[in-house]
Amino acid sequence: MLNILKRGVSLSAMGGVLATTPMMVAGALGLSVATGAAAQAQDGREVIVVTTARRREESVQSVPIAVTALSPELLENAQVTEFADLAASVPGLVIVNGNGAARTTPSFSIRGLSQQDLTILSDQSVLAYTGDIVAARPQGLNQTMFDLAAVEVLKGPQGTLFGRNSTGGAIIIRPNRPSDVLEGEVGLRVGNLGRRDVDFMLNVPLGDAAAFRIAGLSTQSDGYVRDVILNRMLNDDNSRALRASLLVEPNDNISSNTVFNIYNEETNGTGMITYDYNEASGLNNPLARTPRNYAEFGALEALQAGRDYYTFASGVPSFTKVDTWDLANTTEFQVNDAITIRNILGYRSTRSHNLTDTDGTPLTLLEIERINDFEQWSEEFQILGEHGILEWIVGGYYFHEEGSDQGLSNTLAVDPGDLQPATTFAYPNWSNTWSMGENTSYAVFAQGTFDLGAWIPGLSTTIGIRQNWDEREAIIMNRTAGACRFTIDHDNNPATPEIPATVNPYPDPGQCALPLSEDFSEPTWTIGLEYQATDDVMLYLAHRRGYRTGGFGARASTEQGLRRTFTPEIVDDIELGIKADWHFGDALLRTNAAAFYADYADIQRLLTDPTTTPVTTVTTNAGQATIQGFELEVLFQPNELVTIAAFWSHLDASFDEFIAPDLTDLSGNPFARAPEDTLSFSGDFILPIIDPMRGEISVGGTYYHNSGFSGNDNFDPRQTVPSFDLVNLRAGWDNFMGSPVDVGLFVNNATDEEYSFVGLGLFNALAFNSSVPQEPRTYGVTLRYHFGQE
């Protein structure tokens, strides 16, 4: 809880949930505290400039797009300690564990736009940024949520200023920059399930021209899912993160900020619990081909049904290991009052290794082991300027990524008994979907906002365009324990690429490597009108085109299947919105609303292809869809002591055409990860029971409802996430007894709601569906000591 005595508010276009103190509820609707940007007074409240949605600092109330700007107070008081926690704070945002992967590999969806494939041969449709550089792979994002200036969630296609692939939107994590104030803090979070988190921050001015800031976070918890065979807990936390920043400003015209992040995680992995067995799946039933029989299968089903929600019997010594580090520099040179030059240089390294028992039983139905090693480089050059009625930005962008992506699996293995091996290589019939890839992107872009006030006061228009060129290269080396999974036609592929050395026992690599390459290019754009009707009311209409590059499937077992390229997907949307403040004496009523309509073409989906032998999953273009909906947010502050907030997000996503690889018409299937409704209601109260010199006591709570959604691109009603409701409560005493100490109590999921996300759905192919239980009721205490802060 950081300096909550400051009562500044500024509402974003789209809001959050889980707010509790007045600043939290304000933050739930995008209200943010000052972060060093300009602010102005408005009826005794501060209107804070926090968002860089158009690559320059602006008030969120004047930006003509749907954007949520979450303040540090919201993030801390709402107990947003992991990246995945943001989902309950942003309407239209869904974050789930990646398909068959650990919790540490999140998959994002905004307004129903998402991607399920995790290989280097495809990309997310919602981009995540750490500072000014994109995180092309989501591993390691969970523990970036400390010492932040803001989190910005931009909704809808952002392809003009934030690059390719952002057909659904962008999530931007903005760390605090070093400042000229000597300050620091230490925080502690202790709770049930063995929760014990520690974070710190120290900011040190280095004379008049530089400042250094260092912050860190350590998380620990015992976990909440238990494997009774190994008698150990899963879904635990054990991570460390460190961020160091150096800001150099030799004069008023030059600013250079360098940020280094490093993250390490080692846990027992993710527990997936089988909730649905298919004893009648005929020849597809793996039990017909293992020493275990139908009787034992039924007995296991009965045993699991008799356990509590967070207990299962696996016997697999699963684990998750993640190591990431990145280095970024943003340098700005103000040429004159009208022109600024900005350069953004970034590097990111990501390594991860995890083993997951996707069926959650002692049967060897399907264990998955993922070994990933990625690195990326990016360079972006921008020129920003103002001239008369025009405010503009032009630039160029370069991005290069390369890496190795191994997806090992064991299916239908010889039964080793209840205790399973610690690696998939130990099974006699392992297979490996192994892809090595290089992705390169080039782009040039320009965007301008023209003030049309000379014709109609308050009217302006924004026009932007970006040209993208993408190159994707891959070497696919899919193998089994004793042979290649495909045969190369050497008449068409006479050259065999160099294969890197490996310690793994693969068969002859020269016969098992398929080189692929493809180029893609597409223009993207934005066109909009904004009308500032009064100082407090702004209306806007925007049309945007987004593009996500194409690629290759990695899982096929034939050369023909691997050569099947999926093409780029295109999203064209229209958004109509209003942002308005209404004043009634000292009371403030804020109503923000947006309605949107999107035409979605050549949709990339991860589907089962029954035309291959054996059956595999492939990324394919699924056809055409229409997505429409609206988001409404309301904030009411009758006085400085009471804040009431609510939002309603409604989504209607439907396929116009959806043809599966076997030509089956799936147009009636629902969209994956696209809840029809999300609702939130928050109340927060400052208790005027003590002298303000002794601090401030506040209490609050939030109710959140998610109507549920299909959890898999391959729709099956047995893989649907049912609706769920969450209640979060808190109480806090900031500046306790006039000291620089904040204390708080929290209860998350107060009703102990039992809900899960889809783990893996293989009901027909491998006779089971599994789920990943989400966190039960948690409660605890927070303490924070701070010095040097205003």
Side-chain angles (χ1 to χ4, degrees):
M1 292 161 287
L2 304 175
N3 194 19
I4 299 179
L5 291 177
K6 180 177 286 186
R7 287 288 155 231
V9 295
S10 171
L11 182 61
S12 76
M14 300 298 129
V17 67
L18 302 181
T20 49
T21 71
M23 286 304 291
M24 291 175 62
V25 177
L29 292 169
L31 308 177
S32 300
V33 298
T35 61
Q40 67 184 57
Q42 178 177 309
D43 295 337
R45 299 178 175 88
E46 288 177 285
V47 177
I48 309 302
V49 178
V50 293
T51 185
T52 55
R54 294 196 290 185
R55 295 294 188 142
R56 60 181 79 231
E57 292 182 337
E58 299 175 279
S59 166
V60 289
Q61 282 297 95
S62 63
V63 175
I65 63 172
V67 54
T68 299
L70 304 176
S71 70
E73 282 71 19
L74 171 66
L75 298 170
E76 184 167 345
N77 291 298
Q79 308 303 319
V80 178
T81 59
E82 294 186 359
F83 198 93
D85 294 335
L86 287 172
S89 296
V90 181
L93 173 65
V94 173
I95 302 178
V96 299
N97 53 280
N99 185 38
R103 291 190 305 154
T104 193
T105 309
S107 181
F108 317 120
S109 172
I110 292 180
R111 293 179 176 176
L113 296 174
S114 64
Q115 170 61 283
Q116 188 168 319
D117 196 3
L118 297 175
T119 72
I120 195 172
L121 305 186
S122 59
D123 299 285
Q124 295 272 346
S125 57
V126 175
L127 294 180
Y129 281 75
T130 57
D132 291 317
I133 67 170
V134 67
R137 304 299 148 187
Q139 290 92 336
L141 287 175
N142 266 343
Q143 300 304 341
T144 56
M145 311 301 290
F146 65 96
D147 192 36
L148 299 180
V151 175
E152 300 174 42
V153 182
L154 316 182
K155 300 182 182 180
Q158 305 296 323
T160 304
L161 296 182
F162 287 91
R164 66 188 177 99
N165 299 328
S166 56
T167 52
I171 304 173
I172 306 169
I173 307 299
R174 296 212 174 276
N176 277 313
R177 287 163 60 96
S179 69
D180 59 359
V181 176
L182 177 63
E183 61 179 347
E185 62 183 29
V186 177
L188 176 66
R189 182 171 177 253
V190 179
N192 64 325
L193 304 179
R195 171 62 60 189
R196 47 204 185 279
D197 300 345
V198 179
D199 67 272
F200 77 93
M201 178 276 291
L202 178 65
N203 187 91
V204 181
L206 303 176
D208 296 331
F212 176 75
R213 190 180 189 98
I214 186 169
L217 171 67
S218 172
T219 69
Q220 297 282 331
S221 80
D222 296 338
Y224 58 88
V225 174
R226 185 167 71 94
D227 180 358
V228 297
I229 292 180
L230 296 179
N231 192 28
R232 68 173 192 154
M233 302 298 292
L234 287 80
N235 298 43
D236 55 323
D237 288 313
N238 178 27
S239 69
R240 294 144 295 279
L242 184 71
R243 180 183 300 123
S245 306
L246 177 64
L247 176 64
V248 178
E249 296 180 326
N251 56 52
D252 292 340
N253 298 324
I254 299 176
S255 172
S256 180
N257 189 38
T258 302
V259 183
F260 172 75
N261 291 281
I262 188 168
Y263 168 76
N264 167 262
E265 174 183 350
E266 295 187 27
T267 72
N268 291 336
T270 302
M272 295 189 184
I273 297 179
T274 294
Y275 63 89
D276 203 357
Y277 297 86
N278 185 3
E279 296 182 39
S281 59
L283 293 177
N284 284 329
N285 195 307
L287 300 176
R289 289 170 281 181
T290 65
R292 309 225 178 184
N293 55 38
Y294 282 95
E296 184 167 354
F297 195 57
L300 287 173
E301 181 178 7
L303 284 173
Q304 185 60 47
R307 298 188 181 103
D308 71 57
Y309 194 73
Y310 303 99
T311 302
F312 73 131
S314 168
V316 174
S318 58
F319 61 84
T320 294
K321 299 178 182 179
V322 180
D323 289 284
T324 73
W325 69 272
D326 60 72
L327 183 65
N329 175 267
T330 301
T331 297
E332 293 188 2
F333 172 55
Q334 187 170 340
V335 179
N336 52 45
D337 291 342
I339 297 177
T340 300
I341 297 174
R342 179 186 297 150
N343 191 79
I344 303 169
L345 180 65
Y347 172 84
R348 178 177 170 86
S349 170
T350 302
R351 290 181 172 87
S352 66
H353 187 186
N354 62 272
L355 173 65
T356 305
D357 182 15
T358 66
D359 59 89
T361 75
L363 302 176
T364 55
L365 303 185
L366 179 59
E367 283 75 50
I368 293 179
E369 186 173 358
R370 297 186 184 276
I371 305 172
N372 300 312
D373 187 351
F374 310 115
E375 55 183 350
Q376 65 175 66
W377 301 262
S378 62
E379 160 66 22
E380 183 168 4
F381 182 76
Q382 304 171 359
I383 304 177
L384 302 90
E386 300 178 15
H387 181 75
I389 64 171
L390 174 64
E391 188 176 78
W392 53 270
I393 176 174
V394 298
Y397 182 73
Y398 168 81
F399 173 86
H400 180 79
E401 175 191 29
E402 59 185 50
S404 171
D405 186 318
Q406 300 185 58
L408 297 115
S409 63
N410 152 64
T411 57
L412 320 180
V414 174
D415 182 16
D418 285 353
L419 299 179
Q420 309 290 312
T423 175
T424 308
F425 285 119
Y427 292 98
N429 61 337
W430 58 264
S431 64
N432 188 1
T433 299
W434 187 10
S435 305
M436 300 185 65
E438 291 192 25
N439 303 318
T440 306
S441 179
Y442 309 86
V444 292
F445 58 90
Q447 182 166 304
T449 298
F450 299 83
D451 185 351
L452 306 179
W455 292 274
I456 301 177
L459 185 67
S460 60
T461 183
T462 297
I463 301 173
I465 190 167
R466 184 186 189 103
Q467 178 61 48
N468 306 273
W469 297 273
D470 290 292
E471 301 170 358
R472 194 182 289 280
E473 299 180 27
I475 302 174
I476 301 178
M477 299 173 288
N478 296 350
R479 291 162 166 76
T480 63
C484 301
R485 291 180 62 189
F486 58 87
T487 301
I488 297 178
D489 181 357
H490 285 284
D491 292 335
N492 295 326
N493 300 280
T496 300
E498 180 182 354
I499 306 300
T502 175
V503 298
N504 296 333
Y506 296 110
D508 179 10
Q511 300 297 317
C512 219
L514 177 65
L516 299 169
S517 64
E518 190 69 48
D519 295 341
F520 307 93
S521 64
E522 191 75 27
T524 56
W525 59 74
T526 182
I527 303 172
L529 283 174
E530 307 96 49
Y531 178 53
Q532 195 72 46
T534 70
D535 289 343
D536 295 326
V537 178
M538 190 266 287
L539 301 96
Y540 66 90
L541 176 65
H543 162 58
R544 297 165 295 188
R545 164 165 282 205
Y547 144 80
R548 186 148 62 100
T549 188
F552 316 103
R555 295 174 175 82
S557 55
T558 66
E559 181 182 350
Q560 180 182 9
L562 292 169
R563 286 185 175 279
R564 181 166 48 192
T565 304
F566 56 89
T567 59
E569 67 177 22
I570 304 294
V571 177
D572 289 285
D573 85 335
I574 297 175
E575 181 173 296
L576 176 65
I578 181 173
K579 302 181 181 184
D581 289 348
W582 314 94
H583 300 280
F584 308 94
D586 292 333
L588 169 67
L589 174 65
R590 183 159 284 170
T591 55
N592 283 8
F596 52 89
Y597 175 92
D599 181 63
Y600 193 4
D602 294 322
I603 306 162
Q604 296 173 15
R605 282 291 182 262
L606 186 65
L607 303 174
T608 299
D609 186 355
T611 66
T612 61
T613 303
V615 173
T616 58
T617 54
V618 296
T619 300
T620 187
N621 295 105
Q624 198 88 7
T626 300
I627 302 175
Q628 55 192 342
F630 62 84
E631 291 152 332
L632 170 66
E633 295 182 300
V634 177
L635 170 73
F636 180 53
Q637 281 190 316
N639 53 52
E640 293 290 339
L641 302 180
V642 177
T643 303
I644 298 172
F647 75 68
W648 177 20
S649 174
H650 178 74
L651 184 66
D652 178 11
S654 59
F655 289 101
D656 302 319
E657 180 184 357
F658 187 0
I659 305 300
D662 64 350
L663 303 183
T664 301
D665 188 351
L666 304 177
S667 301
N669 284 4
F671 251 65
R673 299 167 294 280
E676 184 175 350
D677 293 289
T678 56
L679 308 169
S680 173
F681 181 84
S682 301
D684 197 85
F685 311 91
I686 299 173
L687 305 181
I689 59 177
I690 60 172
D691 184 338
M693 296 300 293
R694 294 180 178 271
E696 179 180 277
I697 298 176
S698 60
V699 297
T702 295
Y703 165 75
Y704 171 75
H705 170 77
N706 186 306
S707 63
F709 49 89
S710 170
N712 201 295
D713 287 350
N714 278 302
F715 172 69
D716 187 304
R718 293 175 293 264
Q719 300 169 31
T720 299
V721 176
S723 65
F724 58 91
D725 303 270
L726 298 176
V727 176
N728 288 8
L729 305 170
R730 76 162 297 278
W733 189 342
D734 293 342
N735 294 332
F736 178 76
M737 295 299 293
S739 69
V741 175
D742 303 334
V743 299
L745 303 173
F746 68 89
V747 181
N748 292 332
N749 190 6
T751 60
D752 206 18
E753 177 91 341
E754 295 180 346
Y755 68 108
S756 297
F757 294 149
V758 170
L760 209 63
L762 294 169
F763 190 76
N764 295 316
L766 291 176
F768 73 92
N769 286 327
S770 64
S771 64
V772 180
Q774 300 303 294
E775 205 164 47
R777 180 191 298 121
T778 59
Y779 51 85
V781 179
T782 61
L783 297 172
R784 183 167 300 279
Y785 168 77
H786 46 84
F787 70 88
Q789 298 175 352
E790 183 178 327

